Amino acid sequence: MTLLAVVAVLGVPTIRLWAVSQFPPLALLEGIRLPGPLPTLGLPLADDPSWAHWAMRSLGALAIPLVFGLWMSRSPRGPGRVALGAWTTTVVAVVFGSVVHAVLASMLLAGGFLSFLLTLGGTLLVGTVIGMVVGVVVAVACAIVSRRSPHGVGSQ
C-alpha cells in the first residue's frame, strides 16, 4: 500500500514539483531525464506527450506494487526480518517497474540498440539507488505494521 501511495502521490505535478524543490538530487534526475527514475501514476496527458507515454509510465508504476505484493505474500515473521524482506523486495520491485517503463519507452522511441543498452544500464543503476532509498521508508512501515499485527505483514 505504501508503494502504491508513493507512485500515485508523486504522479501529482504539484507534489512532484515540491519534492523536486526539496531534494536537489531529484531535480538533477528530472532535469537531465536520466533513465530509471521511479515511474509514477498520473493523469493522462498531464505530463506526457501522448497516451502511449502515459500508458507505459503507468504500467511501470503499477508493476512496482504488484511485484512487491507477490514477493511479500510469503513474508517472514518478526519485525527485523520483515523490514529486511520489505527493503529487499522494494529494491527489486522498483528496479522491475523502472525496467518495464524503460523497455516500453525504448520500443516506442526506437532509438537503436546502443541507445537501448545505455537506457537499460542507466535504469538498472538509478532504479537500484531509488529502490534503496524508497525501501527504507517501506521497511520502516512494514516493521511497524508487523509489530502491531499478530499475523504479520503478508497475511493481512
Side-chain angles (χ1 to χ4, degrees), residues 140-154:
V140 168
C142 287
I144 290 170
V145 168
S146 75
R147 236 178 232 258
R148 296 178 185 214
S149 171
H151 303 293
V153 175

Side-chain angles (χ1 to χ4, degrees), residues 18-77:
W18 174 84
V20 166
S21 68
Q22 297 300 312
F23 305 106
L26 291 177
L28 178 66
L29 291 176
E30 290 271 328
I32 62 174
R33 297 281 186 193
L34 194 63
L38 190 65
T40 58
L41 289 174
L43 297 174
L45 302 177
D47 291 330
D48 302 306
S50 70
W51 285 93
H53 285 88
W54 171 77
M56 68 184 173
R57 186 171 52 91
S58 296
L59 285 173
L62 290 172
I64 295 170
L66 178 68
V67 169
F68 184 84
L70 290 173
W71 274 31
M72 283 303 288
S73 64
R74 299 173 304 240
S75 69
R77 302 285 183 221

